[in-house]
Amino acid sequence: MKAAAAPVTKKLAPKKSGQKKPSPKKATTKNPLAPERIAEILRRLEAAYPNAECALHHRNAWELLVATILSAQCTDVRVNMVTPELFRKFPTPKAMAEASLPALEEEIRSTGFYHNKAKSISGAAKQLVGRFGGKVPKTMAELLTLPGVARKTGNVVLGVAFGLAEGVVVDTHVLRISNRLDLTHSTDPKKVEQDLMGIIPRDHWIQFSHEMIHHGRQVCVARKPRCMDCPVETLCYSADKTWSRD
Ligand code: SF4
């Protein structure tokens, strides 16, 4: 069982009186995709979240696949409460493929959308047993043929379980922060992923996602981001900023 990451947030200088919400107009005066800016964002995120990793508990690729499917519209904490008993009862793809849908639904009910999620994990288990020798495939193309698996889940499994950088995980945090940092101007996860793949060096794709997700949970939250504690504040020109040292 993996332990959840202990996020480290780099504290910046305290707010001084008179510091105001910045004008978003400044964004137009910078090139947000300048390689040196991207490199500095990566450097600061890595320094702020050196131990960032997937928070979903898992012992193998199969368990990570199931946990990631269950994490849709649900917190990782909740998923981690459900999966130990789920995998105790159905420890392998074969066991899960043979389980009844009501039995699966009962175990995962608290993660929400449990009818669809039960169908997905049951269907994925059957596909693994029937087509992949009971093993999780290692290519995005194959993963995308599994029920309940889109690119986000595929990227999580490939990156975390196999160390393969096939793309960038774009969840709600990555999408929001990427827009705030002007790394993309899209709200379509597929387009955001393409934009990020075009500007982030491939050897950073996996860790960048982990760091952004931690940043989104700890600092750059959806409402009232904690810009005073943000390691990339001086590189951010978002209209959502709540504080600036300028
Ligand atoms: S400065 Fe604020 S809005 Fe910009 S990335 Fe940091 S926390 Fe998010």
Side-chain angles (χ1 to χ4, degrees):
M1 189 75 67
K2 275 182 102 171
V8 177
T9 304
K10 189 178 180 182
K11 295 285 181 188
L12 297 180
K15 180 180 181 180
K16 293 176 187 168
S17 61
Q19 287 169 326
K20 303 280 187 195
K21 185 173 178 177
S23 166
K25 217 169 63 176
K26 285 174 57 180
T28 61
T29 66
K30 310 275 184 181
N31 173 12
L33 303 184
E36 57 272 21
R37 178 176 182 268
I38 303 296
E40 184 61 13
I41 288 173
L42 295 179
R43 191 192 68 72
R44 293 191 197 180
L45 287 175
E46 191 175 348
Y49 308 104
N51 301 312
E53 61 180 14
C54 180
L56 290 169
H57 297 178
H58 62 282
R59 295 171 295 190
N60 52 51
W62 162 243
E63 291 190 357
L64 179 59
L65 174 63
V66 172
T68 308
I69 291 173
L70 295 180
S71 71
Q73 307 292 315
C74 180
T75 65
D76 290 353
V77 172
R78 168 57 59 185
V79 173
N80 289 340
M81 292 168 68
V82 163
T83 46
E85 182 65 7
L86 176 67
F87 294 130
R88 191 188 69 75
K89 289 188 175 171
F90 311 108
T92 63
K94 183 170 184 295
M96 204 165 285
E98 292 170 351
S100 70
L101 283 178
L104 293 176
E105 288 175 356
E106 188 59 29
E107 293 301 323
I108 66 171
R109 180 182 297 263
S110 66
T111 67
F113 303 97
Y114 59 93
H115 290 307
N116 283 340
K117 289 180 180 177
K119 277 185 201 158
S120 292
I121 61 176
S122 173
K126 286 172 180 158
Q127 294 279 321
L128 256 58
V129 171
R131 295 171 49 216
F132 299 107
K135 296 196 183 316
V136 176
K138 293 185 177 180
T139 69
M140 181 64 84
E142 290 171 315
L143 282 166
L144 291 177
T145 67
L146 301 175
V149 176
R151 281 196 67 89
K152 187 190 89 171
T153 299
N155 278 323
V156 170
V157 171
L158 291 173
V160 175
F162 301 129
L164 298 172
E166 287 299 312
V168 177
V169 174
V170 177
D171 74 343
T172 183
H173 300 294
V174 176
L175 191 149
R176 179 179 69 255
I177 303 167
S178 296
N179 272 277
R180 283 176 171 170
L181 288 173
D182 294 304
L183 304 180
T184 182
H185 291 131
S186 175
T187 55
D188 172 8
K190 282 186 187 164
K191 176 72 168 67
V192 173
E193 185 186 0
Q194 289 301 312
D195 288 347
L196 294 174
M197 289 166 70
I199 57 175
I200 307 291
R202 188 169 191 156
D203 60 354
H204 283 72
W205 287 357
I206 297 172
Q207 203 55 27
F208 171 77
S209 300
H210 294 322
E211 291 159 5
M212 290 280 268
I213 291 167
H214 278 71
H215 188 51
R217 286 179 174 149
Q218 301 296 318
V219 179
C220 194
V221 293
R223 296 187 62 219
K224 296 187 181 171
R226 302 184 185 107
C227 305
M228 197 186 301
D229 295 326
C230 177
V232 292
E233 185 275 317
T234 55
L235 298 167
C236 178
Y237 312 102
S238 171
D240 293 341
K241 281 179 79 170
T242 56
W243 178 85
S244 172
R245 57 176 8 97
D246 287 343

